[in-house]
Amino acid sequence: MDTLVAQLQRQFRDYTISLYHQGFLDDQFTELKKLQDECSPDFVAEVVSLFFEDCEKLIGNMARALDQTGNVDFSLVGSSVHQLKGSSSSVGAKRVKGLCVTFKECCDSQSFEGCVRCLQQVDIEYKSLKAKLQDLFNLEQQIVQAGGRIPQVDI
Amino acid sequence: MASDGGVSCLRRSEMMSVGIGGIDSPPLDVDEVHVLAVDDSLVDRIVIERLLRITSCKVTAVDSGWRALEFLGIDNEKASAELDESSSFRQVPVVIMSSENVITRIDRCLEEGAEDFLLKPVKLADVKRLRNYLARDVKHSNGNKRKLPKDSPPLTLSPDSSDSSPPRSTLSPDSSDSSPPPSTLSPDSSDSSSPPLSPVEIFSSPLLSPLDDEVDDVLTSSPESTPSLVRRQKMRSPGLD
């Protein structure tokens, strides 16, 4: 007989594994989880929340810089990309980080179309990750509310 | 720019001798380490702060080199005098954190006196390893670990390999363009989380060169007593716990 808690835990486990296998997350996310404990039970959620705010701010900067038609400061775009690459790396946002690598190359070669394309992709990607992590955190909450413990998932 | 940073540690005795302002916080144990973490990225600051707290360090995180110097009570105008007279800051270990894995840069950091170099993203194992040998080093500190600028060519931890300007030490008395703006903070008026004792400094490159696009975070730590060969071996562990 499968209890609600067991079902939720299985869902949580499967979902977590899929996020890693599909390349949304990498082992740095696992590292963040190690830093979460009873004293800091929401650490991961807090850090990723800051990361998404960072994304929004940096993408805004990049968009503004790219909007200066005929006078785009690619080094400015590049520095925002560099920052985004750094923070995505720190939280394990693997796809976002990967896009930043390509984006940086477009900045370095001053490819306007390339940069615009990368900007769109980065925007889509961080929002997609944000939604997925929200689903993951919701699952955690449901498990706890159903009286269960959040399982350790080995990737 | 860059998401690089650093950490530095000072021992209680060293902090006292430098005359850092009133100790408002409760005294640390002899083995306790206070880390000053410098990183311009908020996300990275939060992560490194947590990493250090989990390894039983007291942490102060700031977002720039200017603030780091303010925290340490180094008045820019008096910087030369303070740094020449006091050997304490020279004993503060500095650890560099960077996402840039360029061996020549890493070597340069180490040659110029950095205690260690951590590759970002920083992992718990990296900080634990650092914590262990820093605690040892801090305990056995025996003075003068880092070359003063006057003893050696000035060093800039510039990530830009095409940069031909001479390097400058982060705590260089040479107040040229890479120095922070004049600070009016004296040690006594530093904030309530005043440095305490034994800070290890972890630094970011913004301290060194705001224009660099691959600035490294710096961690400053206690005087290092390990030879450079060992330091190299201490570079980023392969993720073993």
Side-chain angles (χ1 to χ4, degrees):
Chain A
M1 189 174 66
D2 219 5
T3 63
L4 173 64
V5 168
Q7 280 177 37
L8 288 170
Q9 286 173 331
R10 194 173 52 247
Q11 241 185 302
F12 174 81
R13 200 178 270 116
D14 291 346
Y15 196 52
T16 302
I17 290 172
S18 78
L19 288 178
Y20 280 86
H21 285 188
Q22 290 171 39
F24 287 97
L25 299 174
D26 63 28
D27 66 348
Q28 188 59 22
F29 188 79
T30 316
E31 286 292 317
L32 287 192
K33 298 223 86 169
K34 289 182 190 170
L35 306 181
Q36 185 161 283
D37 59 20
E38 312 76 44
C39 306
S40 274
D42 301 314
F43 178 72
V44 179
E46 285 165 6
V47 176
V48 301
S49 169
L50 285 172
F51 166 66
F52 293 130
E53 283 175 21
D54 218 26
C55 287
E56 206 177 313
K57 182 191 84 177
L58 291 169
I59 286 171
N61 293 349
M62 297 171 205
R64 260 188 306 281
L66 287 169
D67 222 17
Q68 310 301 312
T69 328
N71 195 27
V72 173
D73 185 347
F74 286 99
S75 67
L76 195 60
V77 182
S79 87
S80 288
V81 173
H82 179 79
Q83 286 186 64
L84 185 60
K85 181 174 162 231
S87 51
S88 60
S89 161
S90 295
V91 303
K94 188 174 179 181
R95 283 200 191 181
V96 177
K97 179 183 166 187
L99 285 173
C100 287
V101 174
T102 313
F103 200 161
K104 190 70 170 45
E105 286 163 10
C106 292
C107 292
D108 292 344
S109 57
Q110 307 213 348
S111 159
F112 180 76
E113 281 85 16
C115 284
V116 169
R117 205 167 36 242
C118 286
L119 182 65
Q120 285 167 353
Q121 286 173 339
V122 157
D123 191 57
I124 290 168
E125 198 56 55
Y126 100 82
K127 284 169 175 165
S128 167
L129 179 63
K130 186 174 176 182
K132 288 180 188 299
L133 287 181
Q134 193 54 60
D135 288 344
L136 194 67
F137 297 142
N138 288 344
L139 265 177
E140 285 184 344
Q141 241 183 351
Q142 286 175 55
I143 293 171
V144 169
Q145 277 165 8
R149 278 182 50 225
I150 299 162
Q152 284 276 74
V153 183
D154 296 320
I155 306 302
Chain B
M1 271 215 193
S3 24
D4 296 329
V7 170
S8 69
C9 288
L10 287 177
R11 300 212 56 202
R12 172 198 289 262
S13 56
E14 285 152 10
M15 291 309 300
M16 302 283 251
S17 73
V18 175
I20 300 295
I23 313 274
D24 296 314
S25 44
L28 296 176
D29 295 333
V30 214
D31 286 345
E32 202 166 3
V33 165
H34 183 187
V35 179
L36 175 63
V38 186
D39 198 322
D40 59 349
S41 158
L42 176 59
V43 170
D44 286 356
R45 267 200 310 282
I46 300 291
V47 173
I48 195 67
E49 198 168 3
R50 182 80 187 130
L51 280 166
L52 290 165
R53 291 224 165 102
I54 270 197
T55 47
S56 313
C57 295
K58 177 169 171 162
V59 190
T60 301
V62 297
D63 66 3
S64 71
W66 311 149
R67 293 209 206 284
L69 292 174
E70 279 181 358
F71 178 80
L72 292 171
I74 297 176
D75 181 321
N76 191 49
E77 284 167 14
K78 294 186 209 154
S80 298
E82 284 178 14
L83 292 171
D84 284 341
E85 288 163 16
S86 163
S87 66
S88 297
F89 283 118
R90 294 172 61 183
Q91 294 175 20
V92 175
V94 178
V95 175
I96 312 275
M97 298 189 295
S98 177
S99 54
E100 206 185 335
N101 194 3
V102 176
I103 199 74
T104 47
R105 266 190 88 197
I106 294 170
D107 279 353
R108 209 161 135 206
C109 292
L110 297 178
E111 278 156 20
E112 292 299 329
E115 179 74 20
D116 201 346
F117 186 100
L118 301 181
L119 200 58
K120 281 180 158 185
V122 181
K123 299 185 185 311
L124 189 57
D126 297 328
V127 179
K128 278 183 177 171
R129 174 177 56 81
L130 191 71
R131 179 76 178 84
N132 289 339
Y133 75 79
L134 280 178
R136 256 197 337 269
D137 278 359
V138 167
K139 227 182 216 175
H140 299 116
S141 115
N142 59 2
N144 224 356
K145 301 296 181 178
R146 196 162 55 240
K147 299 182 247 185
L148 272 183
K150 66 181 181 200
D151 298 330
S152 63
L155 162 74
T156 315
L157 294 177
S158 164
D160 180 3
S161 55
S162 63
D163 185 350
S164 58
S165 56
R168 263 176 267 272
S169 153
T170 61
L171 297 177
S172 170
D174 174 6
S175 53
S176 48
D177 57 7
S178 61
S179 302
S183 162
T184 54
L185 278 185
S186 68
D188 287 337
S189 59
S190 50
D191 68 21
S192 59
S193 54
S194 41
L197 330 166
S198 316
V200 167
E201 262 175 61
I202 298 186
F203 274 105
S204 263
S205 59
L207 169 69
L208 310 167
S209 179
L211 301 177
D212 289 333
D213 69 355
E214 295 263 7
V215 157
D216 298 335
D217 299 322
V218 175
L219 296 173
T220 68
S221 63
S222 59
E224 78 94 7
S225 53
T226 51
S228 59
L229 179 61
V230 177
R231 274 182 295 174
R232 287 197 177 102
Q233 291 170 349
K234 284 177 180 170
M235 291 200 319
R236 176 88 184 259
S237 63
L240 297 170
D241 240 89

